[in-house]
Amino acid sequence: MAKKKSKHEWRANSLPAAIMVGPVSLWLVLLVAIPLIYVGVMSFCSIDQYYNVTFQFTLENYSRLMNADYIKIYMQSLVIALLTTVICVLVAYPFSWLIARTKSKKKKILYMLVIIPFWTNSLIRIYGWRTFLGTNGWLNTALQAMHLTNGPVDFLFKQGTTVLGMVYCLFPFMVLPLYTAIEKLDGGLLEASADLGARRVSTFFEVVLPLTSTGIFSGCIMVFIPCLGFFFVSDILGGGNADVIGNLIERQFQSGNNWPLGSALSIILILITLLLVKIYQKMGGDMESLGG
């Protein structure tokens, strides 16, 4: 009777858990696992002379990734991603510190300034920057009205403009983990450092920075990885002069009509993501800070 009762209790306890976890698991399988498996299988497929996918195993797609033109874009992607990440850290850290240390009602206003951009589609906002920076845009109009330039300046279709767009889109993703890390900082440690005679600069580099390093690295991952794939920013603001890996993938699936090669590029991007997340975990980072 005891065994039958334990089985009945086990079923009673497991049923609510299955009801709650089941739909989520099914959702993840349908929208995450199956698409990833499909992309992985596709990366080993071939195409015929008419660019139709044929399910013949080949490693040619991965060998083509070492093409000199592709390597140039990889390097350019890393430069753009690194510049974007560094700028985001330098700008977001003092802003996050200001939000975390503000005690008045202004704290909610400052926090809302970070959240508000999410209310508008990023594609629309990037087109807004294109209009603003165009030869007939507000910036050029203002510069000419103040007689700072003799004619319209071409701000668009440069690497610097692409970096500006990336920073604008990804800046909130740097602020949020930094804000969380700084808010958890024990103020008593800062007071103790000051009581021991340490200067503010020394306190920052020896106390504050190490204690918020996980937030910094978390923000860097959340900026660096999407930056490699935000092809629409480099398309609209870079005009093909500042491509990232996402542009390569997009072209293979669209104009190039080479889905296996595009899948291989996607797999490489996924592996880079997993590698960076693994490094983050090794450093003691919290996966909840990455939305995990």
Side-chain angles (χ1 to χ4, degrees), residues 103-155:
K103 302 299 182 182
S104 63
K105 295 181 179 179
K106 293 180 180 179
K107 184 172 186 175
K108 293 182 179 179
I109 298 174
L110 292 172
Y111 195 78
M112 284 299 297
L113 290 176
V114 180
I115 303 299
I116 285 174
F118 289 109
W119 296 356
T120 308
N121 187 281
S122 56
L123 186 62
I124 298 173
R125 290 185 278 125
I126 289 299
Y127 269 112
W129 272 105
R130 179 168 178 168
T131 303
F132 178 75
L133 297 172
T135 53
N136 297 319
W138 290 2
L139 181 57
N140 268 301
T141 302
L143 291 175
Q144 293 176 69
M146 292 184 289
H147 303 287
L148 296 176
T149 58
N150 295 325
V153 180
D154 188 12
F155 291 106

Side-chain angles (χ1 to χ4, degrees), residues 155-228:
F155 291 106
L156 295 174
F157 311 137
K158 294 179 174 60
Q159 190 177 87
T161 313
T162 301
V163 171
L164 173 65
M166 293 288 188
V167 171
Y168 174 71
C169 284
L170 298 171
F171 178 76
F173 294 97
M174 180 65 75
V175 172
L176 296 177
L178 282 176
Y179 166 76
T180 302
I182 294 171
E183 193 175 40
K184 292 178 181 179
L185 191 64
D186 186 0
L189 296 175
L190 303 182
E191 294 178 3
S193 179
D195 292 340
L196 291 172
R199 297 181 179 179
R200 290 186 177 182
V201 176
S202 300
T203 300
F204 176 76
F205 284 104
E206 296 179 14
V207 179
V208 177
L209 206 59
L211 291 176
T212 57
S213 60
T214 54
I216 295 172
F217 197 74
S218 173
C220 288
I221 290 178
M222 295 178 69
V223 170
F224 186 88
I225 294 172
C227 192
L228 297 175

